[in-house]
Amino acid sequence: VEAAMHQFHMHGYAATRVADIVAEAGYTSGAFYFHFANKTECFWHVIEHRERLRGNWAHVADDLDPSTASLEDVLARTFAGFEQALGGVRDWVMVMVDFHGQHRDDDDVRRRLGGVYERWHVELVEFVRELQARGWVDQARDADVLASQIFAAAEGFFVHRVLYGVGQGAKPAGSLLDMLARLLAAPA
């Protein structure tokens, strides 16, 4: 699963072959097919693996003091935690778009992708509520709406970075953190 995650990240979903995955993992294709029916099934396991790696990150700022730590500090810590937990595998939205493109006519895939979004959205809502409870974000703001906006802004940023080569290789600092901080700090 870890090898598949790296191969999908490096080459995209469509271009990654089972042979690429097993070569990196040091196993045979027989071992792959013992565990997975096909590449698509392996992809779903990669999604679950990424979710486990992220863990419960909503409480990333529990040890920060809102009187001395800025919202930007919290966001920087959050993205640094993702970077560390996921081993530098970022811009995953491009893999998701590629996967969707390969399976766009499959109702089950669309349903399962909707479930992936819902789980991520729930995590973001919890994160926003924690920021609100600690005073970084106005409690009058709708956490559900803010979670949707964070998701759209971050994924848009990563797509922009990949498609147009803006800030390639840079960590999600600067403009993304500034944009998210402004979004979250806006008055209700």
Side-chain angles (χ1 to χ4, degrees), residues 123-138:
E123 291 177 21
L124 279 168
V125 169
E126 184 180 350
F127 178 64
V128 170
R129 288 186 177 143
E130 285 296 318
L131 295 177
Q132 289 173 318
R134 303 285 308 282
W136 279 294
V137 174
D138 184 348

Side-chain angles (χ1 to χ4, degrees), residues 29-108:
S29 59
F32 178 90
Y33 289 111
F34 177 79
H35 293 283
F36 311 108
N38 52 42
K39 186 171 76 167
T40 302
E41 183 184 330
C42 179
F43 182 80
W44 294 121
H45 284 273
V46 171
I47 295 298
E48 292 169 4
H49 177 65
R50 289 176 55 79
E51 290 171 353
R52 282 189 305 275
L53 289 174
R54 279 195 321 266
N56 184 2
W57 55 271
H59 300 278
V60 70
D62 282 354
D63 64 332
L64 294 178
D65 181 351
S67 67
T68 59
S70 69
L71 181 56
E72 291 87 350
D73 294 336
V74 174
L75 294 171
R77 179 186 273 197
T78 302
F79 280 100
F82 292 155
E83 182 85 11
Q84 181 180 1
L86 298 172
V89 175
R90 53 183 145 138
D91 299 332
W92 189 256
V93 64
M94 300 307 292
V95 177
M96 297 294 287
V97 169
D98 187 18
F99 177 78
H100 174 269
Q102 294 297 304
H103 300 284
R104 72 175 48 110
D105 296 326
D106 186 325
D107 290 336
D108 183 56

Side-chain angles (χ1 to χ4, degrees), residues 17 21 24 74 79 84 153 156 158 170:
R17 301 170 304 135
I21 296 168
E24 180 174 327
V74 174
F79 280 100
Q84 181 180 1
F158 294 125

